[in-house]
Amino acid sequence: MTSCPSPPSRRRRSRAGSRPTRPSAIADDYGDAQLDALRLALGAVALCALLSLGVTRKLPSTSLAESETDEDELLTTHPM
Amino acid sequence: MRKWLPMLILALAQFVMVLDSSVMNVAISQIVADLDTTIQGVQTAITLYTLVMAAFMLLGAKLGDILGRNRVFAIGLAIYGAGSLTTALSPNLAVLLIGWSGVEGLGAVLVVPAIAALTAATYEGRDRALAYALLGGIAAVAVAAGPLIGGWVTTELTWRYVFAGETVVVILILLARGQIAQAPVAPRRPQLDIVGVALSSSGLGLIVFAILRSSVWGFVQPRTPPTIGDTEITPLGFSVVPFMVLGGLALLWAFASWERRRTRLGQDALLDTMLLGIAQLRAGLSTLVGQQLVLMGTFFVIPVYLQVVLGLDAFETGKRLLPLSVAMLIFALLGPRVAAKRSSRVVARIGLIAVSIGAVVMLATLDVTLHDGGFKVALALIGAGAGLLASQLGNVIMSAVAPDQTSEAGGLQGTAQNLGSSLGTAIIGAVLLGLAGDRLQRRHHRELRHPGRHAPDDRRQRQGGH
């Protein structure tokens, strides 16, 4: 990823009276861009976690204690 | 305590399997220097390892039914140990590819389903729930501990010691494996479905390979497409990735049709497709894909922030991740207690919401300087959520099937883990790497339109003089 200004861009900026781009400005821009991208990536993680809630519908909805009680009752009423 | 000795042995095997991959990621630069190769070469080894696991996990599970789960566990460990030793001694990339990607990968596809099946054979009821919670927690901790262990050994000694250490651990597990209960053996040894193996491995391999390459080739729009000679491969102007995924899905559809045909004719199938009709199993596998996607995405982003933005080394990164590892283990062990009173569904949902909140908290704390308190809170939330998730899904999946189908369910579980991990790294990686470039370009275009509006000195002052 390069950011070498083309001659027309450089002429536009000098006509506007702006300061020329310095290497530290490029480094700052890249650092900010990295942080923005990291924040968006974490946002994507949060969104994926919330979307995954949709596939949990068919996970067991009874507690382990309730399922063990149901199994015991089944064995009592229908012994092997 | 003696009751839990088999579980400790199986958990140790699980730990070694998972630690292996996360250490390799940390040690890349030292391996490149040691083997006189390139980063792309080592990344090829990582890709191949993932592909071997994805393609042959179902085969590994079926071999458990054919040869017996205890025997396959032992054979797989022996192969894995041989691969670790080869990796530790490798003089060049070619030997690393054979030892790590090939031999270790094949050992892992035998061991991973066997761990799940042997746990089901050894424990029942609440003990089984706790056993799978421990396995899930250990696996999650191994992912987070990889940078710490791998970083320290790589920095202070050499990466080779990690793989040599794995060889020693594998030998100890093999010596102690008699403590594990004998899983029931099928009265008739099933036959191996070779066509099913070819179809499933090529379908799964193609899909996972496309996902792994998507960050380079592009998800839909081509970025750096593959070339044949000088010709770029961009079918209809799109990236080749969606076509590979469609091709993989077509192969899997053919696999499913073939398996149903074999079952109808009374022949042995690689995978009983009726298993996928069990709602609880499907839900467990889908949630597992989601869990791995979210976790691997998180473990992709956090090290980038710590190492690239803050400039920490691998060992320091591992130390910073400790709150996450500790929280994961604690909540993985707490998960069954909550599930005993509520349900697996409630625990899994709490876990996903905790991960989501943790990711948002971390997003809010990200800056050029580390906000220690907020960062630790975020890590603890993510770790707690991951631990709760990891504590449930193994038991949900394995308890959904009959005892003689636990090997196949173990293979499906391993496949789902692999798929979720690949998707997590690819999707979140694409968001991260793609957006960094786009944002930078947009900033430069804004600078050209409004020159001097955001001078670098002004920006530093806004950030508090850093």
Side-chain angles (χ1 to χ4, degrees), chain A residues 1 3 9 12-13 16 18-19 22 24-26 28-30 32-46 48-50 52-53 55-65 68, chain B residues 126 280 283-284 286-287 290 293-294 298 301 308-309 339-345 348-349 352 356 359 362-363 366 368 396 428 431-432 435-437 439-440 443-444 448 451 455-456 459-460 463:
Chain A
M1 192 173 12
S3 55
S9 308
R12 251 201 323 273
R13 287 210 307 277
S18 68
R19 284 180 280 169
R22 290 175 288 161
S24 59
I26 297 171
D28 280 341
D29 278 350
Y30 190 67
D32 287 346
Q34 274 183 332
L35 281 172
D36 285 346
L38 282 165
R39 291 183 187 114
L40 276 162
L42 282 168
V45 167
C48 288
L50 290 176
S52 298
L53 287 169
V55 298
T56 60
R57 277 183 304 120
K58 295 285 187 185
L59 289 177
S61 56
T62 52
S63 69
L64 205 53
E68 283 176 346
Chain B
R126 285 177 196 246
Q280 180 176 317
S286 308
T287 312
L293 191 157
V294 163
T298 307
V301 171
V308 176
V309 178
K341 294 191 176 69
R342 302 303 297 266
S343 70
S344 298
R345 185 199 295 175
R349 284 178 171 176
L352 286 167
S356 185
M362 182 163 292
L363 181 163
L366 280 190
V368 290
V396 164
I428 305 303
V431 169
L432 179 60
L435 277 166
R439 294 264 154 161
L440 187 57
R443 279 177 187 273
H444 279 285
L448 288 174
R459 196 177 298 122
R460 284 207 190 91
Q463 286 166 354

Side-chain angles (χ1 to χ4, degrees), chain B residues 71-317:
Chain B
R71 187 182 295 175
V72 159
F73 179 67
I75 293 171
L77 276 175
I79 294 173
Y80 191 89
S84 292
L85 188 59
T86 308
T87 305
L89 298 172
S90 51
N92 53 46
L93 180 64
V95 176
L96 183 82
L97 284 168
I98 293 167
W100 192 64
S101 312
V103 179
E104 270 200 41
L106 287 174
V109 301
L110 295 177
V111 173
V112 167
I115 290 175
L118 288 172
T119 304
T122 309
Y123 300 99
E124 292 285 339
R126 285 177 196 246
D127 285 349
R128 183 190 282 190
L130 188 55
Y132 280 116
L134 182 61
L135 277 180
I138 288 289
V141 166
V143 173
L148 191 64
I149 297 172
W152 185 82
V153 175
T154 302
T155 309
E156 299 297 326
L157 303 166
T158 165
W159 59 275
R160 296 176 187 275
Y161 280 8
V162 175
F163 296 96
E166 282 181 8
T167 310
V168 172
V169 171
V170 162
I171 291 170
L172 292 174
I173 296 173
L174 282 170
L175 290 172
R177 78 183 192 281
Q179 300 294 322
I180 302 170
Q182 285 294 316
V185 179
R188 183 188 69 82
R189 185 184 279 199
Q191 287 190 328
L192 186 61
D193 169 18
I194 303 285
V195 173
V197 171
L199 287 171
S200 66
S201 57
S202 52
L204 287 166
L206 198 56
I207 290 171
V208 171
F209 185 55
I211 292 169
L212 291 173
R213 296 302 295 169
S214 59
S215 59
V216 175
W217 293 344
F219 262 116
V220 177
Q221 293 290 3
R223 292 181 72 185
T224 313
T227 55
I228 296 179
D230 289 328
T231 310
E232 288 183 344
I233 311 298
T234 52
L236 304 174
F238 292 104
S239 163
V240 71
V241 164
F243 294 94
M244 290 172 69
V245 171
L246 285 171
L249 288 171
L251 284 165
L252 289 180
W253 177 84
F255 165 66
S257 304
W258 173 257
E259 297 302 283
R260 280 195 296 270
R261 180 178 176 275
R262 281 186 72 87
T263 307
R264 249 190 346 262
L265 296 174
Q267 294 166 343
D268 294 317
L270 180 69
L271 174 71
D272 181 359
T273 51
M274 299 290 283
L275 284 178
L276 296 174
I278 301 173
Q280 180 176 317
L281 179 66
R282 271 204 321 275
L285 292 173
S286 308
T287 312
L288 185 58
V289 170
Q291 172 200 293
Q292 290 300 107
L293 191 157
V294 163
L295 282 186
M296 289 304 113
T298 307
F299 283 123
F300 188 91
V301 171
I302 297 177
V304 169
Y305 172 60
L306 293 173
Q307 293 184 15
V308 176
V309 178
L310 299 184
L312 302 181
D313 62 25
F315 182 53
E316 285 296 320
T317 298

Side-chain angles (χ1 to χ4, degrees), chain B residues 9-29:
Chain B
I9 296 167
L10 292 169
L12 188 55
Q14 176 88 318
F15 185 83
V16 165
M17 300 281 140
V18 178
L19 183 77
D20 191 76
S21 303
S22 67
V23 165
M24 182 59 87
N25 282 309
V26 155
I28 284 183
S29 52

